[in-house]
Amino acid sequence: MKKFLYITAVLATVALTSVSCKNEVDDLFDQSAAERVQSAVDEYTAVLTANGGKWVMEYFTTSKEPGYIYVFTFNADGSVVISGKNKWIGDVYKSEKSLWTMLSDNGPVLSLNSYNKVFHVFASPEDIPNETDEDPDETGYGHSGDYEFIFMEYTADVVRLKGKKYGASIYLRRLPADTDDKAYLGLIDDMKAKLFNSKFSKLYITNAQNERFVMTGGVNGVASFYPEAGDAITQTSSGNFIVTVDGIRFMNTVEIDHADPTAEPFRFTKFNYQEADGSLICADDNSTIITAAPFSELFADKNNTWTLTKAKITGNMLTLYNAVVSECKKKLKETFRYFQLYYSNDDQRFGLRFKSGNYYGIIFYNLNITEDNKATFTIDGSCAEGTEYYYNNLTSFKAFCDALQSTTWTVESDSRLVPSSIKFVSDNSADDSFTADL
Amino acid sequence: MKFFKYMSTISLAVAALMATTSCSDDELGDTIFPDTTTELDPNSYTYKFDKWLKQEYLDVYNLDFRYKMQDVGTDMNYNLVPAELTKAEDLALLTKYLWFDVYTKVAGSEFLKMYGPRIIHLIGSPAYNPQSGTMVLGLAEGGIKVSLFRVNELDNTNFDVMNEYYFKTMHHEFAHILHQTKTIPTEFRAISNGRYDDNNWQDQWEPRMNSLGMVTNYASSQMREDFAEVIANYITKTDAQWAYMLKMAARGWESESSEEDTSSKYYCWYYFEDNDAKNNKSYAEDSQVKEIKSSTGEVTYQLIDSHTGSVVKDSLGNPVEVYAVVDKDGVDGVAIINQKVSICRNWFKDEWGLDLDALREEVQTRQLNYNMEELRKQISDIQ
């Protein structure tokens, strides 16, 4: 028992000595947690206001709508100028000054804490209006966009933010201090016009393996995709994107099924615009491109009507065109208006439609365009009812048609995404050309 | 057994030693939080407004007027946006003019220092409740904080709307703060007991609620909302608005279903004989009826054609006889509303030493005589 008591006493002594008080502990950090957060707030404030405080924000709400470009100017006095142009603020350029601050309520948080009519529309709870919505049923969520953003990471020129409430990933990219907000947003409009047009609603994504995927809805900023050789119903996926001065960036990485649904999906996030041919090339693999349909498909589309613009006809073709104009005037006292490449629903055939005076005539043709963009016309003289008179009695019409089918044409366009103006250049003589405008 | 006795003794001794080996009572060190209580920055974009708020609210009433929305101070289930700066400035000026200055004048400068809210929080949007189709206009939280919503719709040229969205709301929320300090009189609790409906108040027709002794639809939701609504409406409604509400409270009502939607109920207060209609009578709304008072004070009614404005006549060329619906709900709406006002008046007097009618008179005078440009100078003239 004595031994037990001895051991117990020793243990108690050891325990007591180890319960010594020590207010001083070695500092693992040179600042308290709160001070570190505050210094981060100060640091991020300095980042945003540095070099003129001018940034472009690539703003997203949810995956249901496109991203929106805003230009921000963060001032050290706590004010911020926000400029934008999108359908929710009337599709006109608007700019307004409001307030901003860096909070520390959820880590460093950028808060746009006074209402700005140009920007806060996406965070408002009001129902999103639409044309059929006469009596909005307020759900209280609106666009479900954020106006407060957690600072996730930054470099001197790029800040990655995360919406505090809805969590969308949003980027700020530094702009030169002398950037003109309106001019910058004009560049975005220019880019949109280069990339998407409702007349080319169906685009193709072609990857390095020459596999094609269909893309629709690009003009809305919320696109759908499916493998061309796959199932358009069960294999459709979607992705919303923002148009930037460089091209497009999707809100999240898009995953598309291959025709074989068991294969690893095809993924991409960003495409850059290629000025040289007007296509979009994938920034992820530098190979995959987005283009409109091939020329053969465009001219086989029964909804498309292409007008041969006189000002863009050259060489012998212009001579022949002028002969048509003269002969109509001379023999028929009619003013010749135009030729069009046209699909006649009545006749179920493609034809060279023209208008002379008040008369519409159609001379049928077949057009073959190969993969290497070589086009040949075949015209056998068959015409829509009533047009035979023009073809048989006005020699200039037949001469023009003969010229069309007498050569192989090389077909080209400045834009592979919006080929609304397609030039046909004769392989016999580069001086002979015409342009079909959609 | 002995073993355990020893153990107990030793344990007690160790415990006693440990207890006496307490830490020394060193001074607490500096706060771990950075000092953010800095002076207002004259270079700040909002310096003049901030200084005015400090002078007029913080220094006087110890009140933090938060116009830069803090979502952590809101119910995060709602989607809300901040207030617009210029709207916040106007509302801060009007709040002082129509609320704080009124109480200071009628109740003395100490009253709001004692009982006023410590925080006013402005929020730009409404807070929608999609399931009930309602929206929150104001909140009084813990007797400390008043949140005002829908600030971005402030139109300082439309006083009726301003009253509805903000000033009535302020007095309503302040009434909550007051009754959270001194309880609502028992007699008030008993008056409309059993007539409150917290789930369907928003679907009721307000004039019908008036006839049941409620000053508004919202008053019919809960007793405590009734109490706050009586006070807020009595203070802010003009004489004409109050008289109209009492007129509605005096009317009789009948309901009918429309042919298109049998579930709908329309509460009508005039009828005329109509052989083609259900129960041989059709109803007319207030706007369709003209009141004729004879020299003896007898009141009769004529039906007016809403398209032509002329008196509707029967097949014999006589004006169609119109009758007022008899008030059969068994509730004297006017008497009940007056009784509620009387209880509130006495409660203000007995519990707070305040004259509710004097408050009303001061608010009425001010809300009909204010100059926004003049008020704005209080901020713009700040140096």
Side-chain angles (χ1 to χ4, degrees):
Chain A
M1 179 52 72
K2 276 184 181 174
K3 189 179 179 185
F4 170 76
L5 281 174
Y6 175 75
I7 292 168
T8 308
V10 169
L11 283 173
T13 306
V14 170
L16 277 168
T17 52
S18 66
V19 188
S20 65
C21 291
K22 190 179 183 200
N23 289 328
E24 300 299 323
V25 291
D26 292 336
D27 288 331
L28 288 177
F29 302 103
D30 56 2
Q31 288 178 306
S32 71
E35 285 171 329
R36 290 169 68 204
V37 170
Q38 185 58 43
S39 71
V41 164
D42 295 341
E43 180 185 348
Y44 298 159
T45 301
V47 167
L48 290 180
T49 54
N51 303 326
K54 186 82 82 175
W55 299 79
V56 57
M57 176 183 272
E58 296 170 11
Y59 181 76
F60 283 100
T61 57
T62 66
S63 59
K64 294 176 184 170
E65 58 183 313
Y68 304 96
I69 290 288
Y70 281 100
V71 179
F72 278 67
T73 309
F74 292 100
N75 299 312
D77 66 358
S79 67
V80 58
V81 177
I82 308 177
S83 306
K85 183 185 177 190
N86 58 63
K87 68 183 283 191
W88 305 108
I89 54 173
D91 251 338
V92 292
Y93 169 78
K94 286 183 181 170
S95 186
E96 186 170 289
K97 186 181 270 194
S98 54
L99 304 177
W100 74 285
T101 193
M102 290 295 303
L103 302 172
S104 55
D105 62 353
N106 193 9
V109 169
L110 164 62
S111 176
L112 302 166
N113 59 358
S114 80
Y115 190 82
N116 187 307
K117 292 192 193 80
V118 177
F119 184 77
H120 283 80
V121 62
F122 293 107
S124 279
E126 273 76 21
D127 197 26
I128 303 172
N130 63 55
E131 290 170 1
T132 59
D133 199 5
E134 291 177 359
D135 183 20
D137 179 20
E138 296 293 0
T139 59
Y141 293 103
H143 293 262
S144 295
D146 274 299
Y147 69 90
E148 291 192 315
F149 309 96
I150 301 167
F151 242 73
M152 301 302 288
E153 58 187 345
Y154 77 95
T155 64
D157 295 327
V158 180
V159 177
R160 185 167 73 84
L161 305 168
K162 183 181 172 189
K164 192 169 110 176
K165 194 164 190 173
Y166 291 102
S169 224
I170 285 159
Y171 284 88
L172 285 171
R173 301 183 199 279
R174 192 182 292 283
L175 294 173
D178 60 355
T179 301
D180 180 272
D181 294 13
K182 190 173 184 179
Y184 187 86
L185 291 165
L187 295 177
I188 301 297
D189 281 345
D190 293 346
M191 181 58 75
K192 285 178 182 172
K194 288 177 185 174
L195 300 182
F196 303 107
N197 185 311
S198 57
K199 290 176 179 172
F200 302 95
S201 57
K202 191 175 176 183
L203 302 175
Y204 290 92
I205 301 172
T206 308
N207 66 13
Q209 291 72 43
N210 224 22
E211 187 180 12
R212 289 213 309 183
F213 303 86
V214 175
M215 172 181 178
T216 58
V219 74
N220 304 318
V222 184
S224 296
F225 311 92
Y226 62 88
E228 188 182 26
D231 187 324
I233 305 297
T234 61
Q235 290 185 282
T236 292
S237 52
S238 65
N240 58 325
F241 61 84
I242 189 167
V243 176
T244 69
V245 289
D246 298 323
I248 62 173
R249 182 175 67 79
F250 287 86
M251 181 178 180
N252 301 303
T253 298
V254 177
E255 293 189 351
I256 317 180
D257 267 1
H258 292 277
D260 172 7
T262 61
E264 188 71 10
F266 177 52
R267 296 183 177 89
F268 52 78
T269 307
K270 189 170 184 266
F271 285 83
N272 291 324
Y273 182 68
Q274 298 195 108
E275 201 71 50
D277 68 352
S279 68
L280 282 165
I281 186 163
C282 184
D284 307 286
D285 61 13
N286 209 28
S287 165
T288 301
I289 60 167
I290 304 178
T291 63
F295 295 130
S296 56
E297 287 184 32
L298 293 177
F299 285 98
D301 188 332
K302 295 170 182 174
N303 296 313
N304 290 344
T305 297
W306 303 84
T307 300
L308 277 53
T309 307
K310 186 184 175 185
K312 297 179 186 174
I313 301 174
T314 63
N316 186 47
M317 292 307 292
L318 179 59
T319 304
L320 293 168
Y321 185 95
N322 286 333
V324 170
V325 173
S326 298
E327 199 171 15
C328 286
K329 178 65 79 182
K330 191 173 175 183
K331 290 189 175 174
L332 304 174
K333 309 294 186 213
E334 289 177 352
T335 301
F336 182 84
R337 307 285 178 179
Y338 52 72
F339 278 122
Q340 290 177 325
L341 304 178
Y342 169 81
Y343 181 77
S344 168
N345 280 313
D346 290 343
D347 303 294
Q348 302 282 300
R349 291 186 66 179
F350 285 96
L352 185 66
R353 184 167 82 151
F354 61 86
K355 186 179 183 187
S356 178
N358 291 322
Y359 179 76
Y360 291 92
I362 305 172
I363 304 164
F364 299 123
Y365 68 76
N366 287 318
L367 174 60
N368 179 50
I369 303 178
T370 61
E371 280 187 9
D372 57 352
N373 299 330
K374 297 294 182 183
T376 51
F377 287 91
T378 307
I379 301 174
D380 63 5
S382 57
C383 302
E385 189 178 351
T387 305
E388 294 90 345
Y389 176 84
Y390 286 83
Y391 189 76
N392 295 328
N393 296 296
L394 276 65
T395 56
S396 58
F397 277 87
K398 188 169 185 308
F400 190 85
C401 291
D402 286 346
L404 275 180
Q405 63 179 336
S406 66
T407 184
T408 298
W409 304 89
T410 297
V411 187
E412 59 192 33
S413 171
D414 289 342
S415 171
R416 296 189 67 185
L417 278 162
V418 187
S420 55
S421 188
I422 298 176
K423 190 173 183 182
F424 289 69
V425 180
S426 170
D427 282 0
N428 290 343
S429 168
D431 292 337
D432 298 342
S433 74
F434 64 90
T435 299
D437 290 319
L438 190 60
Chain B
M1 203 61 186
K2 254 184 173 181
F3 171 77
F4 288 109
K5 190 174 175 187
Y6 279 121
M7 279 297 288
S8 303
T9 308
I10 290 166
S11 299
L12 279 172
V14 169
L17 275 167
M18 286 181 75
T20 55
T21 319
S22 61
C23 300
S24 63
D25 54 350
D26 289 346
E27 294 274 325
L28 289 173
D30 293 335
T31 172
I32 62 165
F33 294 100
D35 180 14
T36 54
T37 56
T38 52
E39 291 295 312
L40 295 175
D41 178 4
N43 297 316
S44 164
Y45 184 67
T46 54
Y47 174 68
K48 287 188 173 185
F49 186 35
D50 292 336
K51 190 173 178 185
W52 183 85
L53 289 175
K54 183 174 183 301
Q55 285 177 2
E56 303 298 333
Y57 283 107
L58 187 63
D59 293 348
V60 181
Y61 300 106
N62 191 23
L63 186 152
D64 182 4
F65 197 102
R66 293 179 183 167
Y67 66 94
K68 298 172 182 174
M69 193 180 114
Q70 300 177 2
D71 65 356
V72 291
T74 67
D75 183 339
M76 301 285 269
N77 289 316
Y78 290 115
N79 240 27
L80 304 170
V81 290
E84 212 178 309
L85 179 59
T86 52
K87 306 272 189 190
E89 288 176 344
D90 282 359
L91 193 53
L93 289 161
L94 288 166
T95 300
K96 178 174 179 293
Y97 181 71
L98 290 166
W99 180 8
F100 283 74
D101 289 355
V102 169
Y103 273 90
T104 298
K105 183 173 179 183
V106 175
S109 60
E110 296 304 307
F111 186 79
L112 280 177
K113 289 181 185 176
M114 285 284 288
Y115 303 109
R118 300 279 80 91
I119 298 168
I120 292 180
H121 192 196
L122 301 190
I123 292 155
S125 59
Y128 288 105
N129 297 310
Q131 288 185 333
S132 62
T134 62
M135 63 177 81
V136 179
L137 295 180
L139 288 173
E141 292 142 283
I144 297 282
K145 178 180 170 189
V146 169
S147 297
L148 294 173
F149 294 78
R150 219 171 176 175
V151 175
N152 292 341
E153 292 178 44
L154 180 77
D155 174 4
N156 60 51
T157 63
N158 188 336
F159 198 82
D160 284 343
V161 173
M162 286 208 296
N163 241 350
E164 183 64 28
Y165 289 172
Y166 317 110
F167 305 118
K168 196 179 89 176
T169 305
M170 288 174 197
H171 290 290
H172 175 107
E173 301 305 339
F174 190 48
H176 280 313
I177 287 178
L178 293 178
H179 78 63
Q180 284 164 9
T181 306
K182 297 189 177 181
T183 56
I184 296 171
T186 309
E187 54 186 317
F188 189 96
R189 296 169 184 272
I191 298 175
S192 294
N193 193 22
R195 294 196 184 279
Y196 297 113
D197 183 352
D198 200 15
N199 294 320
N200 300 302
W201 63 268
Q202 67 278 0
D203 299 327
Q204 305 301 325
W205 198 32
E206 193 151 286
R208 179 172 169 266
M209 288 295 102
N210 297 152
S211 83
L212 293 173
M214 308 292 182
V215 292
T216 60
N217 272 358
Y218 190 42
S220 72
S221 61
Q222 297 178 49
M223 183 276 299
R224 63 190 196 93
E225 299 304 343
D226 189 9
F227 187 73
E229 280 289 273
V230 169
I231 293 168
N233 280 274
Y234 185 68
I235 290 174
T236 58
K237 268 189 163 59
T238 63
D239 289 347
Q241 289 169 330
W242 187 259
Y244 181 77
M245 188 264 294
L246 289 179
K247 182 183 174 187
M248 294 297 104
R251 304 290 280 273
W253 312 92
E254 283 184 8
S255 63
E256 65 168 350
S257 304
S258 71
E259 288 178 8
E260 297 79 20
D261 181 3
T262 53
S263 64
S264 299
K265 286 187 174 179
Y266 299 91
Y267 295 90
C268 302
W269 55 95
Y270 294 107
Y271 68 92
F272 52 95
E273 291 176 0
D274 182 351
N275 293 333
D276 295 332
K278 194 165 62 175
N279 300 327
N280 295 329
K281 64 181 183 182
S282 284
Y283 292 95
E285 301 297 332
D286 219 17
S287 59
Q288 297 172 273
V289 174
K290 187 179 178 184
E291 196 174 282
I292 310 288
K293 262 188 187 170
S294 72
S295 56
T296 59
E298 189 186 357
V299 178
T300 57
Y301 306 97
Q302 290 181 336
L303 188 63
I304 305 298
D305 187 313
S306 54
H307 296 294
T308 64
S310 56
V311 175
V312 178
K313 296 183 177 173
D314 61 19
S315 55
L316 300 174
N318 298 316
V320 170
E321 288 193 56
V322 179
Y323 308 96
V325 170
V326 177
D327 189 355
K328 290 184 288 193
D329 59 19
V331 180
D332 185 342
V334 175
I336 286 179
I337 290 172
N338 285 334
Q339 187 186 1
K340 286 178 178 174
V341 171
S342 176
I343 293 170
C344 291
R345 184 183 287 119
N346 292 336
W347 182 74
F348 261 78
K349 185 180 171 193
D350 298 340
E351 298 290 344
W352 301 103
L354 274 177
D355 183 341
L356 181 63
D357 292 299
L359 269 179
R360 178 173 192 271
E361 190 178 337
E362 186 63 28
V363 167
Q364 293 297 320
T365 304
R366 284 172 178 257
Q367 71 183 15
L368 297 173
N369 299 283
Y370 71 94
N371 182 326
M372 202 66 237
E373 291 308 315
E374 281 298 314
L375 291 174
R376 283 175 182 155
K377 282 184 184 172
Q378 292 180 36
I379 296 174
S380 61
D381 288 349
I382 290 275
Q383 296 301 313

